[in-house]
Amino acid sequence: IWKARHGEGRITRWIARDPRRAEAACPVAGICGGCELWEAGRHASDLKRQMAADLLRRQVGEGVPWTWHPAPDAARRHRIQLHWDGAELGYFKRHSHALVPVTACPAAAPPLSEAIPRLLAALDGRALPARPGRWELSTGTPADTVWATDERGRTWVLEPDGWHRNAEPIRHRLGDATLQHEPGAFFQVSPPWAAEAFGDLLKSWDLKGQTLYDLYGGVGLFSALLGDRFSHRILVESGESAVTWARRNLEAAGLSAECLVADVAAWVPEGLGNEEDVILLDPPRAGLEAPLCERLATAGAGTLVLVGCDGAAFCRDLKRLSGAWSLDQLAVLDLFPLTSHVECVALMTKRP
């Protein structure tokens, strides 16, 4: 199947079943588009590591060392998106918009999975707006309260007697950091594991300095995780609501910060930062724009950290930056268990 810039192949039939395949713990694993690796069983992590190794070998080179950070068995999703067609609630079928009805999701945190039948009953009984569309179920850290958010951003919280309108933010207690955001807003899929993985990685890299430029900073996850390792922080994010919460989150943590609403690609100037500063970028899935990479080549900061959830875009951006930045460390984190997706993180230093 040819897409705009690449081709995709799809399996049409199996000739033989690999003996290492396991019985899927999910009854719709073969058709649901949410997960891909249930039948890999205990081999799932190693299979993903091999996928990452193949990508990096092809795109970055044979001799580049990197580390693999597998997900713990307990990692589960704290956000799931379901679709309601007016009669049934579920996920989309793989490679399709046909609905796969579900009443539970073993990939989700238990409170979310247990809330699916109650959301279905409320929609079916017209206790919630029953217009067909997408619904997001989300929970905080720890995973106790469950929010349901419709496509219009309206939110309800699940109480023992049913769903009630609620405008309270979702709260995540992640080690020493506490972050809040509005229900339905973008945040890490598995916040406890993401905070642990990023926190341990950045600590092992001894990341510290004068000013942290937290670009595509969201609600302040990286600024909060790095805590007092920097004297000052400048967070730039295009979403106004996210920046509002970033200000609140960092102020509550006692961290001085300038939190700016701006398009990162337009905001970054020539010669950004000084030698003691760190530029950290966590761009959308499409990665960095080429003109932004050109301006980053002129930066005065001594260190750059690049985060990416699309391996191909991440490797492309490493190549774009390689003329001015030297790759010192490379890590691949399994932040999306049971799927083929990974998070890549690179530590780079400015070339003389």
Side-chain angles (χ1 to χ4, degrees):
I1 298 174
W2 290 105
K3 303 290 186 176
R5 292 184 295 176
H6 71 282
E8 294 181 358
R10 294 180 184 170
I11 297 170
T12 57
R13 67 185 181 92
W14 293 105
I15 297 174
R17 180 183 176 88
D18 192 300
R20 294 171 294 179
R21 278 183 174 266
E23 189 69 28
C26 175
V28 296
I31 56 174
C32 175
C35 301
E36 305 151 283
L37 300 178
W38 275 113
E39 291 187 327
R42 62 187 179 87
H43 301 286
S45 179
D46 188 56
L47 181 60
K48 291 186 73 167
R49 183 190 60 77
Q50 292 180 48
M51 294 178 189
D54 181 65
L55 171 72
L56 296 176
R57 177 180 58 82
R58 293 171 182 271
Q59 298 296 327
V60 183
E62 292 276 3
V64 177
W66 59 284
T67 58
W68 169 245
H69 301 257
D73 293 338
R76 289 294 182 269
R77 300 178 192 177
H78 284 222
R79 293 189 300 116
I80 57 175
Q81 290 190 348
L82 299 159
H83 301 273
W84 163 251
D85 66 1
E88 294 179 309
L89 181 70
Y91 294 118
F92 282 151
K93 185 177 180 181
R94 194 166 300 157
H95 309 306
S96 168
H97 282 175
L99 199 68
V100 179
V102 297
T103 55
C105 177
L112 292 189
S113 182
E114 293 160 7
I116 294 174
R118 300 194 65 180
L119 177 60
L120 174 60
L123 291 169
D124 193 48
R126 302 302 190 264
L128 289 176
R131 179 180 179 179
R134 184 184 70 248
W135 283 82
E136 178 170 295
L137 291 179
S138 51
T139 186
T141 308
D144 42 24
T145 305
V146 175
W147 285 262
T149 307
D150 69 3
E151 287 187 334
R152 294 173 58 183
R154 297 174 296 181
T155 300
W156 291 259
V157 69
L158 183 58
E159 302 285 358
D161 62 343
W163 298 93
H164 296 269
R165 285 298 297 268
N166 189 293
E168 291 294 313
I170 297 178
R171 179 180 291 103
H172 300 276
R173 292 193 290 273
L174 306 170
D176 295 333
T178 297
L179 297 175
Q180 299 185 86
H181 61 82
E182 63 183 10
F186 174 80
F187 198 65
Q188 293 292 326
V189 172
S190 181
W193 163 229
E196 177 187 343
F198 282 130
D200 290 349
L201 181 67
L202 299 178
K203 183 178 180 180
S204 72
W205 287 352
D206 194 27
L207 204 64
K208 59 187 178 182
Q210 184 66 32
T211 297
L212 171 67
Y213 292 94
D214 189 355
L215 308 183
Y216 304 100
V219 299
L221 174 64
F222 286 107
S223 287
L225 290 178
L226 289 166
D228 59 3
R229 296 180 213 170
F230 290 85
S231 302
H232 188 56
R233 292 141 211 89
I234 297 177
L235 182 147
V236 184
E237 165 64 47
S238 61
E240 186 171 349
S241 176
V243 172
T244 298
W245 282 111
R247 290 193 187 105
R248 295 174 181 174
N249 291 331
L250 298 180
E251 181 179 351
L255 301 172
S256 64
E258 296 178 53
C259 298
L260 309 174
V261 180
D263 175 72
V264 171
W267 179 87
V268 170
E270 300 278 344
L272 178 65
N274 299 309
E275 187 176 354
E276 298 82 13
D277 299 338
V278 173
I279 299 172
L280 190 152
L281 303 110
D282 184 15
R285 190 168 184 80
L288 304 177
E289 298 179 23
L292 174 56
C293 291
E294 293 173 5
R295 286 197 299 282
L296 289 170
T298 72
T303 303
L304 183 147
V305 176
L306 178 65
V307 182
C309 62
D310 181 278
F314 175 84
C315 292
R316 178 205 64 203
D317 293 339
L318 284 185
K319 294 176 184 177
R320 287 175 171 174
L321 295 168
S322 62
W325 297 89
S326 173
L327 178 62
D328 290 352
Q329 301 278 356
L330 183 58
V332 182
L333 285 55
D334 183 6
L335 299 189
F336 312 96
L338 299 171
T339 76
S340 59
H341 301 292
V342 295
E343 194 92 2
C344 301
V345 191
L347 175 67
M348 310 181 82
T349 53
K350 194 67 186 296
R351 295 185 185 276

